[in-house]
Amino acid sequence: MTTLASPTLGGARSSVWRTEGKPDVKGPVHILDAEQIWTFLEGEATIELDGEISTAGPGDTAVLPAHATRRLTAGPQGYTAIVTAPADAHAWIPGDTGNKVTPPWIA
């Protein structure tokens, strides 16, 4: 993830990232305590959200609600997306609420 806006880059209340998923790579299962919005620019991703699966591609926007368990898997060409969430959002692995981190936490 590349941070495009955040409080450390000029006082924004929201954070914005550009993220690129490498082909066929699965992200970690995690939970975020705030809504997160993903807009896909290139490629394709499978989104697992509380057990439901959908696919997103160029021009699609996915709104991932707070406290939903999620995992993104890049398609065979990978993906590029712009992602936003509140600057004070925290993420954690299900069952491990003692180790909350502020995104971006995935390289």
Side-chain angles (χ1 to χ4, degrees), residues 49-93:
L49 188 64
D50 279 343
E52 294 191 28
I53 298 174
S54 61
T55 302
D60 291 336
T61 295
V63 179
L64 284 60
H67 303 287
T69 301
R70 62 196 69 196
R71 172 184 239 170
L72 273 76
T73 302
Q77 304 300 317
Y79 67 79
T80 300
I82 298 295
V83 184
T84 186
D88 60 354
H90 291 92
W92 64 92
I93 303 299

Side-chain angles (χ1 to χ4, degrees), residues 2-59:
T2 301
T3 302
L4 302 175
S6 72
T8 58
L9 294 176
R13 288 186 183 197
S14 296
S15 291
V16 179
W17 307 278
R18 179 184 175 100
T19 183
E20 296 179 2
K22 295 186 182 199
D24 300 314
V25 171
K26 289 183 181 239
V29 175
H30 63 287
I31 300 169
L32 205 74
D33 64 1
E35 179 180 87
Q36 193 177 45
I37 301 171
W38 288 68
T39 298
F40 292 86
L41 305 175
E42 298 175 355
E44 184 175 278
T46 300
I47 302 167
E48 297 175 52
L49 188 64
D50 279 343
E52 294 191 28
I53 298 174
S54 61
T55 302

